Amino acid sequence: MTTELDTFRTAVRRFVAAEVVPHQQRWRAQQHVDRALWRKAGELGLLLADVPDDFGGSGGTFAHQAVVFEELALAGDTAFGLHVHAIVAHYLLNHGTEEQKYKYLPRLANGDLIAAIAMSEPGAGSDLKGIRTTAVRTDLGYRLNGSKTFISNGFLADLVLVVARTDPAAGAKGISLMLLETANNPGFRVGRILEKMGQKGQDTCELFFDDAIVALQNVLGGEEGRGFAQLMTELPYERTIVGVAGVACIERALDLTITHARERRAFGQALIDMQNTRFVLAECKTEATVARVFIDRCIEDLVAGRMDTVRASMAKYWITDLQCKIVDRCLQLFGGYGYMLDYPITQMYLDARVQRIYGGANEIMKEIIARSL
């Protein structure tokens, strides 16, 4: 942290307190945030904090964007799909043509466009080589056919980065990333918002493509067959984001539980005066500190361009496993209240579980790490 980042954090915290926290219950009920939230965040430069101002971003580093992710997590938010939005922006920034960057990044930065990335299919999740959605080139553009599932921001998305096969016979080299605009695209259809165990305010949807049109110039990078390499390059960014949110959630769970343990009395004394409670919290605090040191190093390395796939996989798997473990141990100290949705720790328990699944299942992360040995 620096003085500049501290000042930025104060502004982000105020925004989250005013524009996010008061609406969380309503967003869970309607299963998506309000579109107006995106524009308000865009006005303050929060959507693409680490994208150069040449393309409409705020010109900061990943440290600035990490502050935004942390403040959302510390407020208990899992509805605002800014994480996916930022990931799509970085695909454009690092792999898009100049025309694609100038066309889309400023509108992603100001909130006029909301982005989603469509990888997972009913028969292909972490195994990207199993993708079956196809994009066939015609004189009028690419005809996209197939379906995607578990797509965050799917309900509101204006721009979807679709993983598709442009050459079914070429294996991994036949995969391309397509920039699909959803407006006035009759072949594109949004399915139902999926009913999830947690993160109910996040609009996670099924998407369907029945001869949906993608403009010829909207292959990411302007060349077919580069999709798999582009995905492999950008996955460390995504997985570091998951780790950043995980550590912030761990710290929030610990703070909530320490406060509860000081106030709650049982058998004539505060919970925190009981040895078992103190030992549990001591263990959790130690593990939280180790996780914080690790993720701070990961943020530094990402800013410096040193973050690799293996370390990002370590951060993603280890931190999210730890997040679920610590939230569970903290919930236990709330007793019966930990089973009531009125208590934030309960919502955190439900929201945390998917962290070990999306961004690549943790078992895949271990396989990536193992291959490096």
Side-chain angles (χ1 to χ4, degrees), residues 60-83:
T61 70
F62 180 71
H64 293 83
Q65 197 68 67
V67 165
V68 180
F69 297 143
E70 285 181 351
E71 288 303 314
L72 288 170
L74 291 170
D77 176 73
T78 56
F80 191 14
L82 172 56
H83 309 72

Side-chain angles (χ1 to χ4, degrees), residues 247-277:
V247 173
C249 287
I250 288 169
E251 292 170 343
R252 179 175 187 246
L254 195 54
D255 287 345
L256 289 171
T257 308
I258 290 171
T259 299
H260 174 77
R262 286 173 176 161
E263 296 173 352
R264 176 70 171 167
R265 298 186 66 81
F267 304 103
Q269 59 182 324
L271 284 182
I272 202 164
D273 292 328
M274 298 179 177
Q275 187 181 68
N276 179 70
T277 304

Side-chain angles (χ1 to χ4, degrees), residues 6-83:
D6 279 329
T7 302
F8 182 65
R9 185 184 292 279
T10 299
V12 175
R13 185 166 293 178
R14 286 174 180 162
F15 173 83
V16 172
E19 303 294 345
V20 175
V21 173
H23 308 291
Q24 288 174 320
Q25 192 59 43
R26 179 169 59 82
W27 291 340
R28 290 189 189 108
Q30 71 184 23
Q31 296 183 295
H32 62 85
V33 303
D34 302 327
R35 183 172 283 272
L37 174 67
W38 290 90
R39 297 195 178 97
K40 290 176 181 177
E43 289 172 3
L44 289 179
L46 306 185
L47 294 180
L48 302 185
D50 58 349
V51 168
D53 50 17
D54 288 350
F55 302 114
S58 299
T61 70
F62 180 71
H64 293 83
Q65 197 68 67
V67 165
V68 180
F69 297 143
E70 285 181 351
E71 288 303 314
L72 288 170
L74 291 170
D77 176 73
T78 56
F80 191 14
L82 172 56
H83 309 72

